[in-house]
Amino acid sequence: MSDPVRSLPALRRLSYAVGHFLNDLCASMWFTYLLVFYHSVLGFQNTNAGVLLLVGQIADAVCTPLIGYESDQTPGCGSYGKRKTWHLVGTLSVVLSFSFVFNRCLGCDPSTPQWASLIYFIPFIIVFQFGWAATQISHLSLIPELVTCEHAKVELTAYRYAFTVIANITVYALAYLLFHVQDGESDVLGPVDIPVFRNLALTVLGIGALFSVLFHLGTTERRPGAGGGAGGVEGEEEGEGERRPLLPRSNTPSSLLQWKCWLQQPSFYQVALLYMSTRLIVNLSQTYISMYLINTLGLPKKFIATIPLVMYLSGFVSSFIVKPVTKLIGKCLTYFVGLLLIMVFSYWVLLDIRMGQQVYGAAVLLGAGSATILVISLSMTAELIANQTQSGAFVYGAMSFTDKFANGVAVMIIQALHPCHTVMCCPGCVWFYHYVMVIVTGGVAVLAASALCTILIWPIKIRPRGQPIISDDAARVN
């Protein structure tokens, strides 16, 4: 049988990979600059800034499984396809709401109470997170429908993550340029930087919307019951020729897993724990790296663009190394290598309180490790779904629910423990963000390693209804 990824034309691979670019651009700003913008620029208290991020994460966590379920059940708009229909709905929601998140409250002035500003921003954040979730779940759900080979899924996921890295690089490069244009102003963040973040948000929306159009024009979704697929399935059938069985290989009704059945699968919880731990490391480190650079290391504000840029450049390089390394040593060991890089970063931060310019080297380790574990965790989720694509969106939604809810709660706890209750940072911030970076990388990496051990001991398996437990590899043999 031919490799499905090779059968999928390069242009369609590329068009699929850019389908999450708008989400990635917005997510980069959301996680890296939300707390900085609301606390250091708009002057919100730490807890209020945390509340906004928590509301967004909870809205995303609630929306993802619901959208996943609806995406599996609804037929889509006409002949457009259910995944692409939800992707379009999500894209429009993001475009219409995100620019309001990174701007001053319209009609507000310095005398406006913060609770009123919170009420103003919350609806825009909820709409943005709904749109983000709809785009993410529909895009991920296309992977097991476009390709079937496990290495093909890893490669397609790696392409997808490569554009995630490009999106982050784009955001940080634009931020650096905007701060550079503003050169001559104070090196301390404040209300004068509102235009920088507003212009950055508008720019990423324009770029992301263009790539979303390319995705919708270049990606063809396989229709239920169609003989061919979106490039990949077609190529697979042509490659098999006369070896193709007379009856198509399809799931029988007794082997189809609907959303309730996934809740009875032990592997579902194993992968969920691994995915949640991975996202905690990636998102929390991205959220607090700016605070760490400014308050602990005392670096100028332009470093909140250059250091994340270095992180994602190293992640971009490592995302292309993941596939050959996975073929050589397997997914689990590749994931463990990524965890080792993150643990080395955590140990470096713990020992070197004033690392100065050495922070560039530490950023390389964190970026490479984060890219590696994220690609592998996504490919393990695709492995869990295997040929159960009829409920794949629910699985991705459930995985995303665990990560969004855990991220929101973790940020709120960290913000509540903050030693300062004013906009100005106190000496306690130096040690506070130092240990936050150590715990959210090294501490959570221990949890991720525990989840990985469960998968090593009990490999990913699924139990179709009315049949004994079968492994994913055994299911594909049939």
Side-chain angles (χ1 to χ4, degrees):
M1 182 177 67
S2 63
D3 188 346
V5 146
R6 294 186 183 277
S7 299
L8 195 65
L11 189 59
R12 288 191 177 181
R13 257 180 285 165
L14 185 63
S15 66
Y16 169 80
V18 303
H20 205 251
F21 200 67
L22 173 61
N23 261 22
D24 292 328
L25 290 168
C26 295
S28 179
M29 283 196 67
W30 172 266
F31 286 109
T32 307
Y33 296 132
L34 187 83
L35 293 182
V36 171
F37 178 73
Y38 282 98
H39 177 63
S40 301
V41 178
L42 294 186
F44 280 37
Q45 294 181 355
N46 284 292
T47 51
N48 288 337
V51 165
L52 289 176
L53 194 144
L54 177 63
V55 167
Q57 295 303 100
I58 290 179
D60 198 349
V62 171
C63 287
T64 44
L66 295 179
I67 291 173
Y69 174 79
E70 290 297 327
S71 178
D72 288 331
Q73 300 300 315
T74 56
C77 183
S79 61
Y80 200 59
K82 58 184 180 181
R83 310 302 188 194
K84 289 180 65 179
T85 297
W86 276 98
H87 189 284
L88 182 61
V89 171
T91 299
L92 293 176
S93 299
V94 170
V95 170
L96 293 175
S97 60
F98 188 70
S99 61
F100 293 94
V101 176
F102 282 92
N103 202 352
R104 69 169 76 245
C105 171
L106 298 179
C108 297
D109 55 48
S111 63
T112 303
Q114 286 193 11
W115 64 263
S117 298
L118 288 175
I119 294 175
Y120 170 85
F121 285 112
I122 284 175
F124 293 113
I125 289 176
I126 291 175
V127 173
F128 161 65
Q129 292 293 355
F130 163 80
W132 200 97
T135 305
Q136 180 202 33
I137 297 306
S138 58
H139 193 255
L140 283 172
S141 301
L142 280 171
I143 294 178
E145 295 188 6
L146 293 176
V147 293
T148 56
C149 171
E150 288 307 318
H151 288 301
K153 292 176 183 178
V154 172
E155 184 171 10
L156 204 56
T157 303
Y159 275 104
R160 181 183 185 275
Y161 185 72
F163 277 94
T164 298
V165 175
I166 293 174
N168 282 274
I169 292 172
T170 302
V171 169
Y172 301 135
L174 289 171
Y176 178 79
L177 289 175
L178 290 172
F179 281 126
H180 183 71
V181 169
Q182 198 191 34
D183 196 18
E185 302 285 349
S186 172
D187 278 336
V188 180
L189 286 169
V192 69
D193 296 300
I194 292 177
V196 172
F197 290 96
R198 180 193 63 216
N199 295 337
L200 181 59
L202 292 174
T203 304
V204 301
L205 281 178
I207 297 173
L210 175 62
F211 279 94
S212 293
V213 171
L214 295 177
F215 163 78
H216 282 275
L217 292 177
T219 302
T220 304
E221 180 178 346
R222 175 161 55 98
R223 299 294 296 158
V233 178
E234 261 178 19
E236 183 179 358
E237 289 184 353
E238 291 170 1
E240 286 186 23
E242 293 183 353
R243 291 176 297 162
R244 188 172 66 248
L246 295 177
L247 294 177
R249 293 174 297 172
S250 60
N251 292 314
T252 61
S254 62
S255 66
L256 292 176
L257 291 181
Q258 300 305 323
W259 72 272
K260 292 181 180 179
C261 303
W262 284 110
L263 301 180
Q264 303 171 10
Q265 302 292 330
S267 292
F268 177 81
Y269 298 98
Q270 289 176 279
V271 176
L273 180 60
L274 186 76
Y275 185 83
M276 181 193 73
S277 305
T278 301
R279 282 294 187 177
L280 278 174
I281 295 172
V282 174
N283 293 342
L284 290 180
S285 62
Q286 187 177 1
T287 299
Y288 285 100
I289 188 68
S290 297
M291 297 293 196
Y292 171 72
L293 295 171
I294 294 174
N295 297 313
T296 300
L297 301 184
L299 298 172
K301 62 185 180 183
K302 66 180 182 180
F303 276 81
I304 69 175
T306 56
I307 295 302
L309 180 60
V310 170
M311 288 171 51
Y312 280 92
L313 282 173
S314 65
F316 178 75
V317 174
S318 64
S319 65
F320 289 103
I321 304 175
V322 168
K323 184 189 177 184
V325 173
T326 301
K327 283 188 174 181
L328 184 64
I329 63 176
K331 290 181 186 176
C332 290
L333 286 181
T334 303
Y335 188 93
F336 183 69
V337 170
L339 281 185
L340 283 180
L341 294 176
I342 291 171
M343 289 179 178
V344 172
F345 165 84
S346 177
Y347 191 64
W348 193 346
V349 171
L350 178 64
L351 295 182
D352 197 347
I353 301 173
R354 296 287 184 182
M355 65 173 61
Q357 298 297 319
Q358 292 179 334
V359 69
Y360 284 102
V364 171
L365 293 176
L366 181 59
S370 298
T372 301
I373 64 175
L374 188 55
V375 168
I376 297 301
S377 66
L378 286 171
S379 65
M380 284 187 175
T381 306
E383 178 184 349
L384 174 68
I385 295 172
N387 56 355
Q388 301 287 341
T389 57
Q390 77 288 339
S391 56
F394 170 78
V395 175
Y396 281 117
M399 298 297 158
S400 189
F401 172 84
T402 61
D403 113 66
K404 299 303 188 305
F405 185 79
N407 272 286
V409 172
V411 168
M412 198 62 220
I413 292 174
I414 292 172
Q415 293 298 105
L417 294 174
H418 200 284
C420 301
H421 299 285
T422 61
V423 177
M424 298 301 295
C425 194
C426 67
C429 291
V430 176
W431 289 103
F432 180 77
Y433 290 114
H434 175 260
Y435 286 117
V436 164
M437 285 305 297
V438 172
I439 293 173
V440 302
T441 53
V444 182
V446 174
L447 177 62
S450 301
L452 182 65
C453 288
T454 66
I455 294 177
L456 285 170
I457 298 172
W458 301 287
I460 298 174
K461 297 179 180 179
I462 58 174
R463 183 200 295 268
R465 291 185 299 168
Q467 296 183 14
I469 294 178
I470 61 172
S471 67
D472 185 56
D473 291 334
R476 287 194 300 274
V477 169
N478 296 323

